[in-house]
Amino acid sequence: MKIRAFGLITLFTVCLLGCSMMRAQTLSANKAVVLRSEAELWSKGNLTVADELYSPDFVCHFVGGIEWTGLNGIKSAVLSHRTSFPDWHEKVEDIIAEGDRVVIRITSTGTQLGDFAGIAPTGKKITIEEFPIFRLAGGKIVEQWAMPDVQGLMTQLNAS
C-alpha cells in the first residue's frame, strides 16, 4: 500500500511540475511575442512582423473609444503613427505575464515631423508613458487595451 501511495504522490508531483513548466514556457513565449511587437513593429516600423505576431481577428481597445481591428488595423495604426513620429521608439520598462495576459509599462519617445491628430508638425521631441494590456491565444496577440498618456503627449505638443 505504501508503494502504491508513493507512486501516486510521485506521479501527481511530476504532473504538477510538468504543468508548471508548460505554463512557464507559455508565459515566456507570450512575453517574447509582446517584446518583439514593441521592438520590431512599433520601434522599427517593420509591418511584416504583424502577420506573425497578431491574429487576423485582433482588436485594440483605446481609452476614449478608438478601436483598431484586424491585421490591417494594426498595420495602419503603426504606419500612421510612424508617419507622424518617424523616430518613434518604445522602451519596455516592466513586463508581467499571467495566464493569457501580458502587461507592459513602456516609455515612448518620438519627434513629431508629420501631422498628428490635426496638429501640424512641430519638430518637438516627446516622451510619454504607456500601459498596454495584451491577451494572447495560439501564440498571437488577439486583443489589446491601450492606455497611453494622451494628455501628456498633447501638452508636449502645446495642443492641450
Side-chain angles (χ1 to χ4, degrees), residues 2 22 27 53 84 134 140 152:
K2 286 184 180 183
M22 287 178 18
L27 292 177
L53 305 176
S84 300
F134 301 88
K140 293 193 176 201

Side-chain angles (χ1 to χ4, degrees), residues 108-121:
S108 299
T109 58
T111 308
Q112 189 208 12
L113 300 179
D115 288 349
F116 176 75
I119 303 167

Side-chain angles (χ1 to χ4, degrees), residues 97-135:
E98 182 66 36
D100 63 352
R101 313 281 184 188
V102 175
V103 179
I104 57 175
R105 180 177 66 88
I106 57 178
T107 302
S108 299
T109 58
T111 308
Q112 189 208 12
L113 300 179
D115 288 349
F116 176 75
I119 303 167
T122 62
K124 292 183 178 180
K125 178 111 177 161
I126 60 93
T127 300
I128 63 168
E129 296 289 321
E130 298 186 56
F131 301 89
I133 302 169
F134 301 88
R135 183 174 67 84

Side-chain angles (χ1 to χ4, degrees), residues 50-150:
D51 297 318
E52 298 172 42
L53 305 176
Y54 288 80
S55 165
D57 299 322
F58 170 73
V59 177
C60 178
H61 312 281
F62 243 93
V63 173
I66 300 169
E67 281 197 354
W68 308 330
T69 59
L71 293 171
N72 286 337
I74 187 68
K75 289 177 185 180
S76 294
V78 171
L79 182 61
S80 173
H81 205 72
R82 291 190 61 82
T83 298
S84 300
F85 302 90
D87 61 344
W88 191 257
H89 179 75
E90 297 188 352
K91 179 182 177 195
V92 176
E93 306 287 353
D94 292 301
I95 185 166
I96 302 165
E98 182 66 36
D100 63 352
R101 313 281 184 188
V102 175
V103 179
I104 57 175
R105 180 177 66 88
I106 57 178
T107 302
S108 299
T109 58
T111 308
Q112 189 208 12
L113 300 179
D115 288 349
F116 176 75
I119 303 167
T122 62
K124 292 183 178 180
K125 178 111 177 161
I126 60 93
T127 300
I128 63 168
E129 296 289 321
E130 298 186 56
F131 301 89
I133 302 169
F134 301 88
R135 183 174 67 84
L136 290 89
K140 293 193 176 201
I141 298 168
V142 294
E143 200 166 13
Q144 177 182 348
W145 292 266
M147 294 168 273
D149 179 10
V150 175

Side-chain angles (χ1 to χ4, degrees), residues 1-44:
M1 187 67 160
K2 286 184 180 183
I3 293 173
R4 179 181 282 170
F6 179 75
L8 288 175
I9 292 170
T10 302
L11 179 61
F12 182 72
T13 303
V14 168
C15 286
L16 283 178
L17 289 174
C19 289
S20 294
M21 288 174 55
M22 287 178 18
R23 184 172 178 268
Q25 288 172 344
T26 299
L27 292 177
S28 180
N30 285 350
K31 285 180 180 180
V33 168
V34 170
L35 290 172
R36 187 168 174 219
S37 174
E38 297 305 307
E40 292 185 40
L41 182 63
W42 283 100
S43 293
K44 293 181 182 172

